[in-house]
Amino acid sequence: MKKISRREFTKLIAGSTMASMLPGIPALAIPDKKFTKSDFGPDFKWGVATAAAQIEGAWNEDGRGPSIWDTFSQKKGGKKIKTRENPSIACDFYHRYDSDLDLVKQLNFDAFRFSFSWSRVLPEGKGVVNEKGMDFYARVIDACLEKGIEPWPTLYHWDLPQALEDQGGWTNRDIVSWFNDYAELMAGRFGDRVKNWMVMNEAASYTIAGYLAGFHAPGKISGKKFLKAVHHTCLVQASAARVLRSSVSSSNIGNTYSCSKVYPKNDSKRHRAAAHRIDILANRLFIEPALGLGYPTDKFRFISRIEKYMQAGDEDLLAVDYDFVGLQNYTRTLSKAAFLPYVRAINMKPQKYDVPELRITEMDWEVYPEGMFEILKQFAAYQNLPPIIITENGAAFQDKIYEDDQVHDPKRTAFYQEYLRNVLKAKQVGIDVRGYFAWTLMDNFEWAEGYRARFGLVHVDFETQQRRIKDSGRWFQGFLEGND
Ligand code: GCO
């Protein structure tokens, strides 16, 4: 299978488009009215999201085993990461968690989304528990609770223990029991204090980038491996939720999904067919089996081959009752028919002459706030969708420290305001959105992009580990206080 570039992939999953010039896609009028926190209602959850591999560092400290992101980033002289960087130190959250959680509090968020590093607590992925790793998470959770912040952990945010990858990782069906044991361990230890759990983060991203396109860990390029990884992931997203449900009392259990509204390049049959396939990959492949709808194989022969990896009774194991679904949206996707339909049905970077108002982030993703509303509408159309929480949304822009020692980032603030306005609009038309987590607390290791793409509300100087709250962070601080 032909390798696709990072740029193509980001467009596949996150997308970028010229859709505003496209026929049949009306621009959405967003009320210009200023909105306040109270418009979202008193029970709306406000949080900030992070992930272990992106912030913790301490990659080989206190008994932690390597994850696939440690080995992947060190492979071939570091070539797999655009900037030749790695997550060994990252934001050093392992040592600085307490003051970092003070920042969460200072910005007035009431929930902190983070992930457990599987290989920190089970260095081999299974078997012997690393108590020092468990202690670390106990300290993080207790610090959250002491500061009045709700902990919202995700069990899996892409950093598979290397020891499990050596046994086939997501392509080995045994991962279902490895994962369930791991879920049971974490829920058993922390279920008394932690009530909000997410099974995994954006399965579409790590299966496509890790097993089909090859530029995320573990770097495989194989349709067969991809389909196996997808099926085992779908079994896990359901079975681990059941484990959490039976181990944690009064729990609130969900799972997160990347999503991006897909538009065909134009109304031709070919482009519409391509948009259909991309929609399946980017938005439908993981949520539909969870909702009891089975795999979306219609008019997509490649995906229908997943049946080869299914065993008798699997269909019934795929459906799951979540208390919420986490949706993560950054931009929209434009698709066009291409020779390799399922990986290359994506368009070129949008150009200024096509979209005069074009705004692009450091990830080459178009700023398209209306897409948030549109994709929420698409998901809300599933009859049995549980309540939605936006578990990630944010933007990377180039930041600099000004002479006044501050980081002025008006583009990021505007991004948040416009996307939030669309979340509010969704609520106002009756879509059951119950919370919003900004991505992310602080600049961190952005996977194959290295540290170049800064998404933080807090700036991190990676030489000194100094933190500086950006203007966008201060905007949230005021907004969540109710002053904005
Ligand atoms: C994802 C991940 C995050 C990313 C963020 C920006 O959605 O890709 O959950 O880890 O850092 O999305 O790309």
Side-chain angles (χ1 to χ4, degrees):
M1 184 168 305
K2 192 173 180 313
K3 192 171 171 172
I4 67 167
S5 71
R6 277 190 203 105
R7 168 161 293 187
E8 283 172 317
F9 170 75
T10 52
K11 271 168 223 141
L12 168 64
I13 284 304
S16 58
T17 155
M18 295 183 270
S20 59
M21 56 171 263
L22 302 174
I25 302 168
L28 182 78
I30 309 169
D32 210 19
K33 173 188 160 290
K34 212 171 150 160
F35 59 89
T36 64
K37 182 188 176 190
S38 60
D39 292 327
F40 290 81
D43 300 325
F44 197 81
K45 190 67 62 192
W46 292 97
V48 72
T50 64
Q54 297 182 271
I55 62 169
E56 282 182 7
W59 77 288
N60 58 1
E61 222 172 299
D62 289 341
R64 182 182 179 279
S67 84
I68 53 174
W69 273 93
D70 297 310
T71 44
F72 183 75
S73 61
Q74 289 165 15
K75 229 186 231 167
K76 299 201 172 160
K79 261 211 242 151
K80 300 275 177 190
I81 309 298
K82 262 189 201 164
T83 54
R84 309 224 166 188
E85 293 164 319
N86 61 55
S88 306
I89 301 175
C91 306
D92 195 28
F93 180 77
Y94 188 73
H95 299 109
R96 294 166 198 265
Y97 67 89
D98 197 61
S99 47
D100 285 338
L101 291 171
D102 283 338
L103 288 168
V104 175
K105 190 72 199 161
Q106 209 180 324
L107 298 186
N108 289 322
F109 289 102
D110 45 34
F112 178 59
R113 177 172 175 233
F114 64 103
S115 72
F116 296 125
S117 152
W118 186 344
S119 63
R120 193 178 291 292
V121 295
L122 290 164
E124 295 292 319
K126 54 188 172 178
V128 183
V129 176
N130 177 28
E131 288 301 335
K132 286 192 173 165
M134 295 302 276
D135 287 350
F136 167 64
Y137 292 115
R139 291 197 300 277
V140 170
I141 289 165
D142 290 343
C144 282
L145 296 173
E146 276 158 28
K147 294 176 204 293
I149 301 166
E150 255 182 17
W152 284 62
T154 306
L155 287 172
Y156 184 74
H157 200 127
W158 307 358
D159 46 353
L160 190 72
Q162 181 61 41
L164 297 183
E165 175 55 30
D166 296 342
Q167 295 166 63
W170 284 102
T171 68
N172 183 340
R173 193 178 167 109
D174 289 347
I175 197 154
V176 180
S177 62
W178 301 334
F179 200 111
N180 288 343
D181 291 348
Y182 162 57
E184 201 175 323
L185 169 72
M186 304 315 279
R189 288 291 179 95
F190 302 124
D192 56 339
R193 286 160 284 172
V194 175
K195 298 299 169 192
N196 304 287
W197 294 77
M198 283 150 284
V199 178
M200 57 176 66
N201 183 71
E202 291 194 4
S205 305
Y206 75 78
T207 52
I208 297 176
Y211 292 90
L212 189 60
F215 62 85
H216 271 194
K220 311 281 186 216
I221 303 171
S222 151
K224 193 169 155 186
K225 287 194 167 80
F226 167 71
L227 292 174
K228 283 187 187 178
V230 169
H231 184 49
H232 301 149
T233 291
C234 287
L235 289 170
V236 164
Q237 67 176 358
S239 67
R242 286 191 279 271
V243 169
L244 292 172
R245 174 91 61 222
S246 65
S247 325
V248 183
S249 61
S250 324
S251 54
N252 184 33
I253 294 162
N255 197 34
T256 79
Y257 298 88
S258 46
C259 57
S260 173
K261 187 73 188 172
V262 182
Y263 300 92
K265 182 173 186 279
N266 64 35
D267 210 29
S268 77
K269 206 172 156 200
R270 275 162 18 99
H271 294 319
R272 276 191 284 120
H276 167 77
R277 290 189 294 268
I278 292 300
D279 190 38
I280 286 181
L281 278 175
N283 298 315
R284 301 175 48 196
L285 186 55
F286 294 90
I287 189 71
E288 293 194 4
L291 295 176
L293 301 170
Y295 287 114
T297 53
D298 46 309
K299 297 194 200 122
F300 200 169
R301 219 172 336 132
F302 170 57
I303 297 297
S304 59
R305 286 192 218 135
I306 203 162
E307 277 151 27
K308 280 202 217 149
Y309 308 107
M310 293 178 71
Q311 296 180 3
D314 275 7
E315 242 154 72
D316 297 335
L317 298 175
L318 295 173
V320 50
D321 266 329
Y322 294 127
D323 298 306
F324 68 93
V325 290
L327 297 185
Q328 321 202 141
N329 172 257
Y330 290 86
T331 182
R332 62 175 167 174
T333 300
L334 178 67
S335 61
K336 66 173 181 181
F339 178 61
L340 282 174
Y342 44 89
V343 286
R344 297 178 73 90
I346 42 185
N347 209 350
M348 305 293 290
K349 181 174 165 180
Q351 304 291 325
K352 280 256 186 237
Y353 53 79
D354 297 316
V355 185
E357 296 304 309
L358 186 69
R359 291 174 294 164
I360 302 234
T361 71
E362 274 292 287
M363 300 291 286
D364 273 351
W365 298 344
E366 185 191 1
V367 177
Y368 192 70
E370 299 90 328
M372 170 67 93
F373 177 73
E374 293 297 332
I375 197 68
L376 286 173
K377 259 193 352 198
Q378 178 174 327
F379 272 73
Y382 289 119
Q383 299 245 316
N384 56 344
L385 193 83
I388 297 168
I389 295 190
I390 308 297
T391 39
E392 280 183 26
N393 171 236
F397 291 110
Q398 258 178 27
D399 289 318
K400 70 170 195 183
I401 301 165
Y402 286 76
E403 278 168 13
D404 57 0
D405 203 41
Q406 303 287 318
V407 180
H408 304 300
D409 59 339
K411 286 187 193 166
R412 189 175 287 102
T413 306
F415 178 98
Y416 277 118
Q417 291 171 341
E418 291 171 38
Y419 274 74
L420 275 171
R421 205 171 272 144
N422 279 279
V423 174
L424 181 59
K425 186 180 160 77
K427 265 184 84 67
Q428 287 167 343
V429 300
I431 298 174
D432 191 1
V433 189
R434 301 201 180 167
Y436 176 94
F437 286 70
W439 181 268
T440 177
L441 174 62
M442 55 192 162
D443 300 336
N444 59 37
F445 178 71
E446 178 55 30
W447 311 110
E449 306 294 312
Y451 294 91
R452 186 190 57 87
R454 292 176 176 271
F455 276 88
L457 295 174
V458 174
H459 180 274
V460 176
D461 176 335
F462 291 103
E463 296 290 309
T464 62
Q465 291 293 346
Q466 188 179 342
R467 276 58 165 154
R468 285 179 180 83
I469 298 177
K470 300 179 192 177
D471 284 359
S472 54
R474 295 193 196 285
W475 178 76
F476 265 109
Q477 189 179 34
F479 173 74
L480 296 177
E481 220 168 47
N483 294 339
D484 210 333

